[in-house]
Amino acid sequence: MKLPIMGKESVALLVPHKRSMLLLDGILGFDREKGQAASLTEVDRSNLFFDGNLNGIPGYVCFELMAQTISAYDYLVGGGMGGKPKIGFILGVNQLKVACPVIPQGSRITTTIRQECAIGEAMYSFVGESNVGDETVASATLMVYTVLHPEGFLV
């Protein structure tokens, strides 16, 4: 797959998030050997978490940007399940630091994730960081679980 991947329609092919829950506008990079990926989110009124009173999105939303970037990474590593993105769950968010309580409309958030470790076949730990320009607006460690069976938990 050629990078960057831009546009919600293209990103939607890589992640299970659809319609308003899809927060990523592009996948900027992917490196299987380093276990990392990068995404782009443009803050505008179409964002599910946009708050008109704040004229932006709350900074804590960045952990969801990290989770969606992990989902895209997972697809790019394994090709999904029969071409479809796998479903995953955030099991925990640790060391969440939000340096910017509100990310204003018009901002371009670059989110990077790096896999720290795998625990078995379906649990992973990732370090994530979201930046606006050179400023880190949020960082966290996420523990995620990927559903291995194509029908979810039904076996």
Side-chain angles (χ1 to χ4, degrees):
M1 200 165 274
K2 187 176 177 180
L3 295 169
I5 299 166
M6 301 305 290
K8 287 199 183 288
E9 294 90 20
S10 297
V11 175
L13 299 173
L14 310 179
V15 299
H17 308 81
K18 304 298 180 230
R19 294 174 289 284
S20 64
M21 194 56 209
L22 177 57
L23 303 178
L24 305 181
D25 292 295
I27 303 301
L28 301 175
F30 164 73
D31 188 321
R32 179 189 310 265
E33 289 182 24
K34 293 183 179 177
Q36 56 192 31
S39 67
L40 172 70
T41 300
E42 298 186 21
V43 179
D44 61 25
R45 292 184 173 277
S46 70
N47 188 297
L48 176 65
F49 297 98
F50 188 86
D51 184 327
N53 294 324
L54 300 175
N55 196 35
I57 63 171
Y60 62 79
V61 171
C62 289
F63 86 82
E64 178 60 28
L65 302 181
M66 295 171 202
Q68 291 189 20
T69 305
I70 292 167
S71 185
Y73 169 84
D74 185 59
Y75 182 89
L76 292 168
V77 165
M81 297 182 127
K84 294 182 181 178
K86 291 186 259 181
I87 294 171
F89 298 97
I90 301 170
L91 298 179
V93 178
N94 296 313
Q95 301 171 352
L96 175 63
K97 295 178 185 159
V98 179
C100 186
V102 176
I103 303 172
Q105 181 175 0
S107 297
R108 294 171 56 95
I109 305 169
T110 302
T111 299
T112 57
I113 56 94
R114 180 179 47 80
Q115 183 178 326
E116 282 194 306
C117 67
I119 304 162
E121 293 182 47
M123 287 179 57
Y124 304 91
S125 176
F126 286 86
V127 173
E129 185 175 284
S130 292
N131 294 283
V132 175
D134 293 333
E135 180 186 358
T136 299
V137 294
S139 61
T141 300
L142 282 75
M143 180 67 71
V144 297
Y145 174 80
T146 301
V147 175
L148 296 175
H149 191 273
E151 301 301 321
F153 293 108
L154 304 175
V155 282

